[in-house]
Amino acid sequence: MTISDPDFVPGVELSGALYEEAVRPILRDVFPGLRYTAARVGSGSEVLGFDTARSADHEWGPRLELFLAPADRDRYGADIRLLLAERLPKRVRGWPTNFRRSDDPLDPVGRMLPTEGPVDHRVDVHEAGAWLSERLGLEWAGAVPADREWLTVPQQRLAEVTGGAVFRDDLGVLTAARGALAWYPEQVWRYLLACQWQRISQEEAFVGRCAEVGDDLGSALVASRLVRDLMRLCLLLERRYAPYGKWLGSAFGRLAVAESLAPSLRGALAATEYRVREGHLGDAYEAVARMQNAVGLTDPVDPGRRPYHSRPFLVLRAERFARALARTVTSPELRGLPLVGGVDQWADSTDLLGRPDAVQAMARSLGRGVPERAGQ
C-alpha cells in the first residue's frame, strides 16, 4: 500500500465503518443474541487521534477489538475469528482488511495487503477484564484503582484505554472502565502535580550554571528537558494524559494554553545565547505558575522568577509549588511518599513502560507499587 491510495480517513472512523458495514451484520446473522462490545482501543496512533496518511505504512487500517463475556470468549472466540476470515469484505472504504504479518524480527509489524483468499484480519477477540489487566498491569476487578496503583500505570496506557471509540457495549465493562479511568482521583492528581514541579526544581538552575562554565550545549540540553517537563505539567493541569514522546508535542498543541505558551517554549529551544534562553524559560515558568494558582488547589504562590540563592541565575524556585501541593496530599497511601511520582515521571524507556510486569517490579522496589501477591 502507498500513503496516497486510497484516500485517507481517520483510523477510528475506518474502524467504525468496519464494524457497522461488515462485522455487525455478520455477527447478527451467525450469532443472533450474542452480547458483546465492539471498540477501537489500545495501541495505535488513531486511538489517540494523531494518525495521518503516513500511519498507513504499518499497524494501521480496518482494526477492531471485540470483547465477549468469559464463557462466550472461550466458546466462540476461535469460531468468530475464522468466520470473519471467510466473510469479511476484502476492503472497507478502499482499504484492505487483510494484513501481512512480518516474519522479520527487526521489523515485526503488520501491513495491509490485498488478498483473494481468506482475510488475515485485525479483529481481535478478548475478554474485557483480562484485556484491561494486561493493558494496565493491574488486576482489573471493576473498581477504581487504589491511589498507589495509579502511580504504576504509564499515562500512555491510560490514554490507550480511555481514547479511541466504543461502537457497541452490551456488556458494559469497557464503558465502566473508561469512566473510572478517565482521569486521576484528586489526591493522585495533587501528588503528581507536586512531583512534576519537583522535577523542574531539580534542574532549573543548571541552565545558567552550564552556561557559566562555557558549556552552552549543556545549557541548551537542560533547557530542552525543562521545556518537556513544562509541557507535561501543562497536560496534567488541563487533565490530559501525556502520550509518549512522538505525540507529546501534538498533545500539547491541543491544550488551551498552547497558543500563548508555545512562543516562550520555542524561544527557549531556539536560543543560542544563555540570557535569551533564560528569559524565555522565565516567561514560561511564570505563565505555568499562574496556571497552577488558577486551578485553586493551594493558596496562591508567588509566580515571579527570582535569583537562585546568591548565584546570578533567574529561576522560579519551583520547589515552592511542589511543597505547597504536597501539603494538600492527605491520602494515607500517598502522603508519606517522596516526590518521585508516577512511573513515567521517573522512567521514560519505551521498552520498559511497555512491559507492565517490569514496571510493577520496579515500582515495588521503590516502595510504592502494588504489593506482590503470595505465590508470585
Side-chain angles (χ1 to χ4, degrees), residues 291-329:
M291 282 181 65
Q292 179 67 75
N293 283 336
V295 172
L297 296 178
T298 68
D299 291 335
V301 178
D302 183 353
R305 68 196 90 177
R306 61 208 56 220
Y308 182 71
H309 300 297
S310 61
R311 298 182 179 185
F313 315 136
L314 289 179
V315 297
L316 182 67
R317 298 300 296 266
E319 68 272 15
R320 298 177 300 124
F321 291 85
R323 291 169 183 166
L325 283 157
R327 286 193 292 269
T328 73
V329 176

Side-chain angles (χ1 to χ4, degrees), residues 11-45:
V12 169
E13 179 182 332
L14 187 61
S15 294
L18 172 68
Y19 171 66
E20 292 292 345
E21 299 171 14
V23 174
R24 180 172 177 266
I26 292 171
L27 293 180
R28 181 188 59 212
D29 291 346
V30 180
F31 296 100
L34 179 67
R35 300 177 70 247
Y36 64 88
T37 296
R40 181 66 191 99
V41 289
S43 63
S45 56

Side-chain angles (χ1 to χ4, degrees), residues 205-264:
F206 297 168
V207 178
R209 183 63 173 135
C210 289
E212 187 179 56
V213 299
D215 181 12
D216 192 67
L217 180 60
S219 174
L221 179 62
V222 174
S224 71
R225 287 170 54 86
L226 288 163
V227 166
R228 178 177 181 267
D229 279 341
L230 285 167
M231 291 167 65
R232 291 182 64 94
L233 178 54
C234 289
L235 285 159
L236 273 174
L237 284 167
E238 293 200 21
R239 298 173 181 254
R240 297 290 185 271
Y241 291 128
Y244 78 128
K246 178 168 63 172
W247 301 122
L248 181 62
S250 297
F252 173 81
R254 296 180 178 181
L255 298 181
V257 74
E259 184 176 359
S260 61
L261 187 59
S264 296

Side-chain angles (χ1 to χ4, degrees), residues 150 162 177-184 239 241:
W150 283 94
T162 58
R178 285 160 62 87
L181 299 169
W183 189 244
Y184 296 113
R239 298 173 181 254
Y241 291 128

